[in-house]
C-alpha cells in the first residue's frame, strides 16, 4: 500500500458531515466528497494523487472537499479552488 483515498457521495447543498459521525445513508445525486487522501513520501509529487482524482472524476460528478491543516496549496495544485473561506465553512457540527 502506497497510500489511500477515502471519498463518499454527499449532498452538494449540505455541509460535510461532522468528523466522527457515522455515515448511514448516501444521496443518489450529489457530489463526491473527498474526506482524505494520503501518500507515502516516496510517491508524492509523481502524479499518483492526480491519477487517483482523475479516476474518481470519470463518472462526471463534481468533486468537493474541505482543505485542513494548510493543505489548500496541495489541493490547488490538483485543480481545486476555494469557493468560500468564511465562517461556518468546514465540517458540519456533531
Amino acid at each position: 500500500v502506497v497510500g489511500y483515498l477515502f471519498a463518499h457521495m454527499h449532498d452538494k447543498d449540505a455541509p460535510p458531515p461532522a468528523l466522527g459521525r457515522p455515515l448511514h445513508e448516501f444521496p443518489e445525486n450529489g457530489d463526491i466528497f473527498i474526506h482524505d487522501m494520503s501518500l507515502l513520501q516516496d510517491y508524492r509529487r509523481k502524479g499518483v494523487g492526480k491519477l487517483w482524482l482523475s479516476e474518481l472524476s470519470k463518472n462526471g460528478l463534481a468533486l468537493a472537499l474541505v482543505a485542513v491543516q494548510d493543505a489548500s496549496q496541495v489541493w490547488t495544485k490538483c485543480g481545486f479552488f476555494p469557493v468560500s473561506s468564511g465562517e461556518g465553512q468546514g465540517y458540519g457540527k456533531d
Side-chain angles (χ1 to χ4, degrees):
V1 176
V2 300
Y4 64 87
L5 171 63
F6 176 66
H8 57 83
M9 293 297 296
H10 183 69
D11 180 350
K12 62 184 175 183
D13 296 323
L19 296 174
R21 182 176 175 193
L23 302 174
H24 298 289
E25 296 180 11
F26 300 98
E28 289 184 27
N29 298 312
D31 294 337
I32 296 176
F33 180 77
I34 300 168
H35 177 77
D36 198 10
M37 181 171 75
S38 182
L39 284 164
L40 292 174
Q41 190 72 33
D42 290 346
Y43 293 87
R44 294 178 187 171
R45 297 185 178 180
K46 296 184 179 180
V48 176
K50 286 183 181 178
L51 176 65
W52 288 353
L53 294 170
S54 174
E55 288 295 316
L56 192 61
S57 66
K58 280 186 175 181
N59 61 17
L61 296 174
L63 303 180
L65 58 90
V66 173
V68 297
Q69 299 176 351
D70 300 321
S72 59
Q73 290 180 351
V74 172
W75 292 113
T76 299
K77 289 178 184 177
C78 290
F80 290 86
F81 59 93
V83 291
S84 178
S85 59
E87 185 178 334
Q89 299 300 311
Y91 289 98
K93 296 184 180 191
D94 291 332

